[in-house]
Amino acid sequence: VVMAGRQGHGFAGEKMNHLYDTLSGKDAEIIGVDNAKNGADRLVDGVNIQTKYCAKGSRCINECFDDTTKMMRYINPDGTPMQIEVPSDKYDDAIRAMEHKIRNGQVPGVNDPSKAKDIVRKGNFTYLSKD
């Protein structure tokens, strides 16, 4: 079962947010089924989205960066960063983490930490765990 594994929260978050967007009348589709390296999970109203549902907002963001280069991995074809969708209850922590990454020069083409709010997208659901 896909949702029972280590990344199960991410798959669940992706599916739930997709359903929410679809029911809200948005043009939404899941495009990450091909598992393209550093590709988007979803396309909503023309916006590429990578969904990261982790226990901490900072971890949601850290998973978007290459371990070797330390640079953001999820980049649109036009060179801009993809939107990173995080659990609604981890949003503030994720924003702080993305601001830090921007200050460190790890997000190509973005120098203003206030742009973290344009990159990090608040998911429609919280992170639920057994803890």
Side-chain angles (χ1 to χ4, degrees):
V1 174
V2 170
M3 293 186 205
R6 184 180 71 80
Q7 297 175 321
H9 287 97
F11 289 115
E14 179 183 322
K15 305 287 188 220
M16 290 184 314
N17 281 295
H18 172 70
L19 180 60
Y20 182 92
D21 287 340
T22 301
L23 293 174
S24 298
K26 294 181 179 175
D27 181 12
E29 64 180 299
I30 293 177
I31 59 174
V33 292
D34 63 355
N35 290 320
K37 184 175 173 105
N38 301 327
D41 291 324
R42 304 187 315 118
L43 182 66
V44 179
D45 291 337
V47 176
N48 285 316
I49 299 170
Q50 175 60 225
T51 302
K52 294 293 182 189
Y53 266 58
C54 303
K56 295 183 183 286
S58 58
R59 182 164 169 223
C60 296
I61 299 308
N62 288 339
E63 287 195 359
C64 299
F65 289 79
D66 185 271
D67 290 336
T68 304
T69 66
K70 308 299 182 204
M71 298 300 287
M72 188 166 179
R73 298 186 298 137
Y74 299 107
I75 304 297
N76 289 310
D78 68 359
T80 60
M82 280 184 205
Q83 282 197 348
I84 307 302
E85 183 175 60
V86 301
S88 58
D89 58 329
K90 309 301 178 190
Y91 178 75
D92 292 337
D93 185 40
I95 289 290
R96 285 190 293 274
M98 185 60 78
E99 288 170 344
H100 178 76
K101 299 287 189 184
I102 292 170
R103 276 191 215 93
N104 285 345
Q106 294 172 265
V107 182
V110 181
N111 300 313
D112 181 357
S114 72
K115 297 292 182 187
K117 289 187 167 102
D118 296 334
I119 300 169
V120 180
R121 177 186 190 107
K122 188 182 233 180
N124 297 297
F125 302 92
T126 61
Y127 179 89
L128 299 175
S129 72
K130 298 177 210 170
D131 301 336

